[in-house]
Amino acid sequence: WTEDEWREWEMWEEAKKRAEMPIGSSPSTESIVSSVAFKVFHKGRLMSVEPGRLFFSEIPRGIDPRIQEMLQPIFSHINRDDHSERAAFM
């Protein structure tokens, strides 16, 4: 390759690296929301319906402590007990 071709290739490589870099920073746990909607059937009979609800990074009010104990969060580098997905599952 000529010197100009190498320079152009390096320019494209640098542009590619910049394009692949994430913009900003990762969102905090408190800023993530989970949206949940479901229908539960048992033997063809509708048992429960949730048309849609948002869950945030707090354990919902009125959850039996036994349920919280059964659904222990997994700790991997960060504490996950306050994630919105876990709150929605409870």
Side-chain angles (χ1 to χ4, degrees):
W1 285 15
T2 67
E3 195 172 310
D4 287 339
E5 289 171 326
W6 276 112
R7 244 184 272 127
E8 184 177 353
W9 181 80
E10 288 171 350
M11 181 185 71
W12 281 108
E13 285 297 307
E14 285 301 314
K16 181 178 154 188
K17 286 179 188 174
R18 282 193 306 275
E20 292 172 351
M21 290 180 68
I23 297 172
S25 60
S26 298
S28 67
T29 297
E30 295 80 22
S31 67
I32 297 174
V33 177
S34 293
S35 173
V36 175
F38 61 81
K39 290 182 182 179
V40 176
F41 290 86
H42 178 66
K43 296 184 178 181
R45 185 170 162 224
L46 183 62
M47 302 300 287
S48 181
V49 175
E50 173 56 61
R53 187 184 304 194
L54 296 177
F55 289 88
F56 301 89
S57 65
E58 300 172 351
I59 296 173
R61 290 185 300 261
I63 298 294
D64 188 322
R66 293 177 297 175
I67 293 174
Q68 293 181 44
E69 290 171 14
M70 286 189 314
L71 299 173
Q72 292 292 313
I74 296 171
F75 187 87
S76 176
H77 304 291
I78 57 170
N79 194 4
R80 291 183 164 86
D81 66 346
D82 61 347
H83 283 198
S84 61
E85 312 90 289
R86 182 171 180 264
F89 193 63
M90 282 198 269

